Amino acid sequence: MSSSSGFIDKHGLWTEDQRARSKEVTDRIAKDGVKLVRVAWSDPHGVSRAKTVTSEVFRGAMTNGYNINVATATLDASGARVFSSFTRGGGLGLEEMTGSPNLIIVPDPFTFRVLPWEPTVGWVLCDDYFTSGRPFHFSPRHVLRKQVERLNGRGLRSVVGLEVEWYLLRLADDRLTEQNLGAPGIKGRALRAYPVEPGYSFHSETSFDLMHEPIARLASAYEALDLPVRSFENEWGPGQVECTFGPADALRAADNLLLFRTATRQIMRRMGYLASFMCRPKVKGLYSSGWHLHQSLVDSAGANAFTPSESGIPLSSLGMSYLGGLLAHGIPATVFANPTVNAYRRFRANSLAPDRLAWGNDHRGVMLRILGEPGDPASRIENRLGEPSANPYLYVASQIITGLDGIDNSLDPGAPDTDPYSTDRTRLPKSLPLALDSLSQSALFRREMGDLFVNYYLALKRKEADRFAEFVAANSLDPSSDEITDWEQNEYFDFF
């Protein structure tokens, strides 16, 4: 290969399909008059970070990538620096992390969109690499891609459907004040907002009509973005909305969720609303939100490998072993589905959320709800564990990791649970620190994600948990209380 090759060619970072699609993207930029492009990547929290470049610079990035600072991978949700970046090894014992170095982000042409709310602005999702061409150790998208490739090596694909709940609220403030401004490690006061409908009138058409204008705007944008959103539902809490997605391959589903959240927040903010994916905001009367992840495996012929062969059997034998893996490793996997302090109050009896490792047939009180019939190509497992602010790449990767372990070891999930809130099953962790402790002790996650990534993630999230513990102690609060704290509201309400 010529020494003058660009970064992408030099390190073989694109497939032939991506190369062909990049030409289509270049043509579209010229045809649609795109002036600026947001080159975006996922941070460890699953939040979209981006730089905005001119269309000319972007064309260069599709040959050489684009430089970014590694810093967004080293900060917690408050912007607090977690690692000693300016010491040798960057606080992680890695020479390549010394001094907060540059990474190179490489656009994935298949993710390119033109933003419908800014029609001269493009958006593309990128993968991050060291300048040597090595994949960045702590990239959530790389973590999921590795698991997808493991499946592909077995002739299988993971298909994922999403059900995500979130809150639509009207902003009470039209500007930021000094109270809303924080500093690294200290969040300013959350913006004030109020519900757009009274809530607790499940699927009320009249209540939903109060939200029609912003929802209609979102529906139009999702269609233009090619996001497979199928429905909008007025959920339980005041202004609580659930969006359901059509099924997609695992990596695309995670990409879709990242774009969905960032697009929803931006469009609503422009209309004077606040869209929050925080599990349970501190607004009177609000109910916890969840993220239900539907999943199945598809074989090389395109057939659903979870579909049972006869009636009376919930799933195929492969599907049941996969289910056994989700149950066997459900405790250490919890933190990837519930990465915030705020999420753990959701695990309570008779709440439409699970409180223990239970499974059942079409039962909404269990953690793992099975929907399967002979001949049904949509046979699947619904994991009802997650919160809507979870990092989509890590949440989906955790399911593949645990499910494959179930298949490899023919794990038996046992009998289904028909009374899940009283069954003799292991309880879910009561707090983020307990969930982190379980991950730390997981041989499976350390093997599949690597000690380096697991220890990195533990340090990142323990910093967050420690800051919450300091707030609780300083204000003489009961950390087991059901009351949402100001710390949580400030930390998560407008971050997710």
Side-chain angles (χ1 to χ4, degrees):
M1 182 173 291
S2 167
S3 61
S4 62
S5 299
F7 182 82
I8 294 172
D9 280 350
K10 178 181 179 181
H11 297 289
L13 303 180
W14 271 356
T15 64
E16 287 304 315
D17 287 342
Q18 285 176 308
R19 199 177 310 282
R21 178 59 68 94
S22 72
K23 293 181 174 62
E24 296 175 16
V25 169
T26 300
D27 291 343
R28 184 178 180 189
I29 286 173
K31 176 177 176 289
D32 291 354
V34 172
K35 305 298 183 185
L36 300 170
V37 179
R38 297 179 187 175
V39 287
W41 64 96
S42 170
D43 75 4
H45 311 287
V47 170
S48 178
R49 305 283 183 169
K51 285 192 172 187
T52 300
V53 300
T54 65
S55 57
E56 181 180 356
V57 169
F58 178 64
R59 283 190 286 271
M62 290 200 293
T63 298
N64 289 307
Y66 192 78
N67 285 342
I68 65 167
N69 190 299
V70 75
T72 60
T74 66
L75 307 176
D76 72 3
S78 73
R81 188 175 291 280
V82 177
F83 305 98
S84 302
S85 299
F86 305 116
T87 61
R88 185 167 184 174
L92 288 155
L94 298 170
E95 282 296 323
E96 58 267 42
M97 290 292 286
T98 300
S100 194
N102 276 351
L103 298 174
I104 296 180
I105 53 173
V106 172
D108 181 346
F110 282 99
T111 67
F112 181 83
R113 314 289 211 280
V114 175
L115 300 181
W117 62 95
E118 280 292 347
T120 63
V121 178
W123 184 94
V124 69
L125 197 54
C126 302
D127 290 303
D128 25 10
Y129 295 87
F130 288 108
T131 55
S132 65
R134 292 174 60 202
F136 181 49
H137 304 307
F138 310 118
S139 163
R141 200 167 190 250
H142 284 315
V143 170
L144 176 55
R145 183 181 285 108
K146 177 184 175 183
Q147 298 308 318
V148 167
E149 290 171 352
R150 285 181 67 210
L151 277 175
N152 293 346
R154 303 172 182 224
L156 296 169
R157 290 186 295 113
S158 172
V159 175
V160 173
L162 310 174
E163 291 182 12
V164 184
E165 295 170 349
W166 55 279
Y167 271 101
L168 175 65
L169 301 128
R170 175 76 75 173
L171 281 170
D173 301 317
D174 63 355
R175 70 196 65 178
L176 298 175
T177 69
E178 290 184 357
Q179 290 180 311
N180 302 121
L181 306 181
I186 304 171
K187 281 290 187 114
R189 189 187 70 186
L191 290 167
R192 294 185 303 119
Y194 52 88
V196 294
E197 57 93 18
Y200 301 104
S201 187
F202 191 48
H203 290 340
S204 164
E205 182 182 357
T206 300
S207 292
F208 188 82
D209 192 64
L210 295 172
M211 300 185 282
H212 177 79
E213 182 182 2
I215 294 298
R217 182 79 64 87
L218 288 174
S220 177
Y222 297 155
E223 182 179 10
L225 291 168
D226 196 29
L227 289 174
V229 177
R230 301 190 312 171
S231 68
F232 300 83
E233 301 172 12
N234 179 17
E235 278 290 323
W236 197 225
Q240 191 177 41
V241 180
E242 180 179 77
C243 291
T244 66
F245 289 66
D249 283 358
L251 187 60
R252 183 179 179 188
D255 289 345
N256 285 342
L257 195 281
L258 185 82
L259 178 56
F260 165 77
R261 285 195 304 217
T262 197
T264 302
R265 286 170 48 74
Q266 291 176 44
I267 295 168
M268 291 299 90
R269 194 62 162 264
R270 288 172 174 236
M271 296 182 68
Y273 294 91
L274 188 143
S276 181
F277 292 83
M278 178 181 177
C279 181
R280 186 177 156 201
K282 188 181 180 182
V283 177
K284 183 176 173 58
L286 267 55
Y287 198 75
S288 294
S289 292
W291 169 7
H292 304 154
L293 194 151
H294 295 251
Q295 57 195 304
S296 62
L297 298 182
V298 174
D299 65 24
S300 58
N304 187 334
F306 281 5
T307 301
S309 58
E310 57 186 89
S311 59
I313 300 175
L315 296 172
S316 68
S317 59
L318 182 140
M320 292 301 286
S321 293
Y322 188 100
L323 173 64
L326 298 184
L327 286 168
H329 305 285
I331 300 302
T334 297
V335 74
F336 295 118
N338 298 273
T340 71
V341 168
N342 183 248
Y344 289 82
R345 295 187 185 85
R346 179 170 159 263
F347 301 151
R348 58 182 56 234
N350 302 306
S351 65
L352 293 174
D355 72 345
R356 65 197 76 195
L357 300 176
W359 76 276
N361 293 299
D362 197 6
H363 195 309
R364 285 183 168 85
V366 297
M367 185 180 91
L368 299 166
R369 176 183 175 225
I370 308 306
L371 298 159
E373 294 289 343
D376 182 2
S379 295
R380 61 197 186 276
I381 299 170
E382 176 193 1
N383 192 331
R384 299 174 60 82
L385 179 66
E387 64 164 316
S389 61
N391 184 316
Y393 302 100
L394 301 182
Y395 187 6
V396 176
S398 74
Q399 302 301 280
I400 297 173
I401 289 169
T402 56
L404 276 182
D405 188 72
I407 292 172
D408 289 344
N409 292 286
S410 300
L411 297 181
D412 181 0
D417 299 288
T418 56
D419 194 3
Y421 294 115
S422 62
T423 187
D424 186 21
R425 295 270 194 174
T426 303
R427 296 290 188 102
L428 294 171
K430 294 288 188 181
S431 67
L432 177 60
L434 289 175
L436 292 169
D437 288 346
S438 180
L439 173 63
S440 179
Q441 297 163 16
S442 171
L444 175 65
F445 280 108
R446 288 189 173 278
R447 184 180 77 230
E448 295 303 333
M449 288 185 167
D451 283 328
L452 183 64
F453 182 86
V454 169
N455 290 338
Y456 157 81
Y457 191 77
L458 289 169
L460 197 72
K461 300 306 296 185
R462 280 178 171 152
K463 176 76 169 181
E464 185 176 316
D466 288 348
R467 287 192 296 104
F468 176 67
E470 291 169 6
F471 175 87
V472 167
N475 291 275
S476 302
L477 301 177
D478 178 2
S480 65
S481 168
D482 186 49
E483 293 299 316
I484 308 300
T485 63
D486 289 339
W487 185 95
E488 293 163 82
Q489 183 74 351
N490 296 340
E491 184 85 3
Y492 303 125
F493 187 50
D494 195 29
F495 182 72
F496 291 114

